[in-house]
Amino acid sequence: VSQVCAALRGTRLSCLVCAAGATALPTRRETPSGHEYHFGLNFLSRFLLVNGLMEELAAAGSEADPARVLLVGSGRHWGEPVLGFS
């Protein structure tokens, strides 16, 4: 996430779409910072990305036409849980 934010510094961002996600991983995994992988990818990475690009979003928008952030989810959590552990 920090590398993406660094690469986009100074870019005019009028819209940011956060659509990555993972469900039903076959085994427990952790992010490089030690968080459970599903939580890190689906929640923490979005928070870090939006906050890391807040200046670019603010600079690209105006009060009349603000920049937008779209967080895309999934209905996967309504299905049968397949978590890979008991």
Side-chain angles (χ1 to χ4, degrees):
V1 173
S2 60
Q3 292 175 357
V4 171
C5 290
L8 292 174
R9 289 274 183 266
T11 303
R12 179 175 157 74
L13 294 176
S14 57
C15 183
L16 178 64
V17 179
C18 300
T23 61
L25 300 173
T27 59
R28 179 180 168 81
R29 292 175 52 189
E30 293 184 356
T31 65
S33 53
H35 299 287
E36 191 272 329
Y37 191 81
H38 178 268
F39 179 68
L41 178 62
N42 293 354
F43 299 97
L44 298 178
S45 66
R46 294 171 181 219
F47 175 81
L48 292 172
L49 185 65
V50 172
N51 280 283
L53 295 172
M54 193 63 71
E55 289 182 20
E56 284 71 22
L57 290 162
S62 67
E63 190 170 328
D65 186 22
R68 289 158 175 82
V69 175
L70 177 62
L71 302 175
V72 179
S74 161
R76 175 67 176 103
H77 62 281
W78 294 110
E80 216 29 60
V82 182
L83 302 176
F85 55 90
S86 55

